[in-house]
Structure formats: C-alpha cells, structure tokens
C-alpha cells in the first residue's frame, strides 16, 4: 500500500469551532504566548496557565469532528495513512483515524510537571491545583510549550521521509520544528496543501488547494480514492 502522510494544524479544526492561533480573532490575539504557553509562565503563575488549558480542554470536549476529519479516515481504505498533527485536540481520533502522531501533545491527558514522559488520562474537563503525578509534582496539561523539547519530532521526520504522497492542511507553517518536517519528504513526492490562505513558506512545488478544510479535504480524498 502507498503511504500517505498528512500534516495538520489548527485550520482543520477551525470549522469544528476551535480557534486557530494566528488568524484574525485567533487565540494569540487574545493572549500573550509568554503568559500562558512557556515554562516561565508556569513558574510565574501556574494557576493562570492551568486555567487557560482547562478552558481549552472544555472547548475541545464540546467540539465535534468535521467533514475534513471524517474524510481523512476514508483514505485508510486504500492507503497506509499517518496523520502528524500539531493540534492538541483529539478530533482526528474521534473522527476515526487510527494512526495519529501528536507533535504538541494532547490536551485530554495530563502530564507531570517534572517529567514530561509521565502522562495520565483526565477525569472530566479540569486539572485541579493540588492534583499530583506519581513523583509528587503538580499535574499540568500534556502539551508542548514554546521553549520545550518536541519528543515526537524524530519519529515524525522519519515518517515524512518514507511518504509516497504528502498533504498539508490548515497550518501557517510558522512554528518550528514542525514547519521543517516538509523538508524530510523526498523531492519527487507529490505534495498538496489545503488552506484558504496558502502560507508563503510552503512555496516548494506544492499543488495548492485554496479551500477551507471541509471543502478541500473531501475533494482531495475523493480524487485520491478514484485513482
Ligand atoms: N480550513 C483550512 N485551513 C484554515 C481554515 C479552514 N477552515 N481556517 C484557517 N485556516 C488556516 C489559516 O489560513 C492558517 O494558515 O489554518 C492556519 C492556522 O495557522 P495557525 O493559527 O498558525 O495554526 P498552526 O499552524 O496549527 O500553529 C502551529 O503554533 O502556537 C502554536 O502550538 C501551537 O500547534 C500550534 C502551532
């Protein structure tokens, strides 16, 4: 079976009602990254950071997968599909995709604040201050903050290097190392990008599909299933 690798960003979940980061009215317009998404923010004000991610988790649990998440699952009938997502939501999994790599963690799990590899399921929507990991440190959201290591990046790079076809969906390609993954995809491999606002950084002989995800993804999936 041919291998399809899909790299997704916040844009694929936008039509499920989850805000992107850098669009007008995106999350980073309302918050400073330095106040909520860095180890320093956690040192300074853990309650605020915990509350920020508790609110994000609540929105994720209320959201539902959309036509783009569902369409990707259909590709599995004919291809070996790996989805590498920068998203911390679980909408690919709830849509039915079976092989999803989370580069930036997943908000439905908690993480030890002293050892990132210790993660746990969460009961309900909230991590409370005072809830501790097995080492006795406060639990936080299982997300990768700016300035932290991205433990899955090498696995993701390896997956990209073996792609027979590569699809980018709904990412501004503004954040590294994720944005550099496309450089691991062999030059001759066919590449597509689905985004209503194609980022200039993608400019490497990519087939551009300037549509919203719920329109563009089902369209491309139908084409690939018909081939
Ligand atoms: N369908 C497809 N793409 C869309 C849609 C839509 N309906 N709406 C917006 N987009 C596109 C935007 O045009 C933009 O290119 O989604 C992209 C969103 O970009 P960002 O907000 O920068 O999100 P992302 O690329 O996922 O951010 C990367 O930055 O802060 C972080 O860790 C966070 O994983 C995140 C990383």
């Amino acid at each position: 079976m041919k291998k399809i690798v899909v790299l997704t960003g916040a844009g694929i979940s936008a039509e499920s009602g989850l805000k992107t980061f850098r669009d007008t009215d995106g999350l980073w317009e309302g918050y400073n990254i330095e106040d909520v998404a860095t180890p320093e923010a956690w040192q300074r004000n853990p309650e605020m950071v915990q509350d920020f991610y508790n609110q994000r988790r609540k929105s994720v649990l209320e959201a539902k997968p959309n036509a783009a998440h569902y369409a990707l699952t259909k590709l599995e009938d004919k291809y070996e599909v790996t989805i590498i997502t920068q998203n911390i939501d679980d909408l690919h999994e709830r849509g039915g995709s079976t092989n999803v790599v989370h580069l930036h963690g997943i908000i439905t799990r908690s993480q030890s604040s002293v050892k990132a590899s210790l993660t746990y399921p969460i009961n309900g929507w909230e991590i409370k201050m005072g809830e501790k990991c097995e080492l006795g440190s406060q639990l936080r959201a299982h997300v990768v903050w700016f300035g932290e290591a991205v433990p899955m990046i090498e696995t993701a790079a390896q997956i990209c290097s073996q792609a027979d076809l590569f699809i980018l969906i709904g990412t501004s390609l503004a954040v590294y190392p994720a944005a550099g993954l496309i450089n691991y995809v062999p030059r001759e491999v066919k590449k597509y990008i689905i985004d209503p606002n194609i980022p200039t950084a993608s400019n490497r002989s990519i087939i551009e599909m300037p549509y919203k995800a719920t329109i563009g993804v089902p369209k491309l999936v139908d084409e690939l299933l018909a081939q």
Side-chain angles (χ1 to χ4, degrees):
M1 271 208 239
K2 278 195 172 174
K3 294 189 174 76
I4 297 189
V5 178
V6 187
L7 175 61
T8 65
I12 196 168
S13 297
E15 291 162 89
S16 292
L18 300 176
K19 282 187 175 189
T20 63
F21 295 94
R22 293 173 187 78
D23 286 303
T24 320
D25 196 35
L27 258 183
W28 296 148
E29 267 202 351
Y31 291 90
N32 279 325
I33 289 175
E34 297 75 22
D35 290 342
V36 289
T38 60
E40 292 74 22
W42 176 252
Q43 294 303 329
R44 265 196 315 267
N45 196 343
E47 289 81 7
M48 183 194 177
V49 174
Q50 194 76 282
D51 184 55
F52 174 77
Y53 286 101
N54 281 340
Q55 295 307 324
R56 303 280 75 71
R57 187 175 307 103
K58 204 172 187 184
S59 308
V60 164
L61 294 174
E62 285 165 8
K64 293 190 175 64
N66 65 46
H69 299 102
Y70 288 124
L72 287 177
T73 69
K74 289 205 256 161
L75 279 180
E76 294 188 17
D77 294 345
K78 193 169 170 191
Y79 299 94
E80 192 180 316
V81 181
T82 308
I83 297 176
I84 302 171
T85 188
Q86 298 167 84
N87 299 344
I88 57 175
D89 67 55
D90 60 351
L91 297 182
H92 285 301
E93 285 88 346
R94 279 199 268 144
S97 286
T98 60
N99 192 11
V100 185
V101 174
H102 280 269
L103 270 185
H104 296 161
I106 185 160
I107 193 142
T108 51
R109 293 183 73 81
S110 64
Q111 173 183 317
S112 160
S113 51
V114 294
K115 191 173 180 192
S117 59
L118 288 178
T119 72
Y120 308 89
I122 299 172
N123 220 344
W125 65 278
E126 195 180 19
I127 304 176
K128 296 196 179 73
M129 297 310 286
E131 285 186 80
K132 301 204 167 137
C133 76
E134 65 209 64
L135 300 177
S137 77
Q138 174 63 46
L139 286 173
R140 51 169 267 194
H142 175 42
V143 300
V144 174
W145 288 328
F146 288 90
E148 291 189 317
V150 181
M152 291 308 287
I153 197 71
E154 280 177 24
T155 306
Q158 173 73 17
I159 292 166
C160 288
S161 72
Q162 289 170 0
D164 298 310
L165 200 135
F166 185 73
I167 309 171
L168 275 169
I169 306 168
T171 172
S172 64
L173 295 174
V175 172
Y176 283 82
L181 283 174
I182 188 169
N183 300 317
Y184 289 88
V185 181
R187 186 186 296 266
E188 68 280 7
V189 166
K190 213 168 183 182
K191 305 175 187 70
Y192 294 87
I193 181 162
I194 300 169
D195 194 310
N197 186 13
I198 307 272
T200 46
S202 72
N203 194 358
R204 298 170 80 248
S205 64
I206 292 194
I207 300 167
E208 298 187 354
M209 300 182 71
Y211 307 109
K212 286 186 169 188
T214 58
I215 303 293
V217 179
K219 190 173 153 71
L220 178 58
V221 167
D222 284 348
E223 282 173 26
L224 295 173
L225 289 177
Q227 275 177 17

